[in-house]
Amino acid sequence: AVVSTQSTGSNNWVVSGALSESGLPLMGADPHLSVSSLPNMLQEVQYVGEDGHRVIGVSATGLGLLLMGRTEKLSYSMTFGMLDMSDYFVENIVDGQYERDGVF
């Protein structure tokens, strides 16, 4: 079997509490991280504050903050996707005037 080292994106989804049996919203996250780059870079983490506030999720080893997680009232996640980081176009300038829609 051929295992690709290329990720193809990711997805998150949320279901309204009006559609769940418990009446609470549901969130699912799948960042599509490659399993061919083991060991896994994520670790499960739980922080408990002195006031009893808890946050549970996953962090990159050594990072010290949660990339995906939840509290009793909030959940959050990330996705991975291809980003449009730059756009290329030709800009025509004549005598200090810029062309736009064929007109300078």
Side-chain angles (χ1 to χ4, degrees):
V2 175
V3 177
S4 172
T5 59
Q6 297 286 326
S7 180
T8 58
S10 63
N11 56 299
N12 286 344
W13 52 264
V14 176
V15 175
S16 167
L19 300 173
S20 74
E21 188 174 320
S22 69
L24 298 171
L26 303 170
M27 184 184 105
D30 184 2
H32 293 202
L33 298 173
S34 175
V35 296
S36 63
S37 60
L38 296 175
N40 191 343
M41 64 176 242
L42 298 179
Q43 62 184 13
E44 189 173 355
V45 177
Q46 173 177 262
Y47 297 116
V48 180
E50 290 180 11
D51 61 356
H53 179 77
R54 289 182 8 183
V55 60
I56 301 168
V58 295
S59 176
T61 303
L63 188 59
L65 59 93
L66 295 180
L67 300 172
M68 299 181 283
R70 68 175 176 84
T71 68
E72 291 181 12
K73 305 235 181 231
L74 173 76
S75 66
Y76 59 96
S77 183
M78 64 176 185
T79 59
F80 170 81
M82 308 312 164
L83 300 175
D84 181 10
M85 299 298 290
S86 60
D87 295 308
Y88 295 99
F89 59 93
V90 175
E91 187 172 58
N92 294 319
I93 304 171
V94 175
D95 296 328
Q97 299 293 312
Y98 294 88
E99 180 184 16
R100 181 174 178 164
D101 297 326
V103 178
F104 286 91

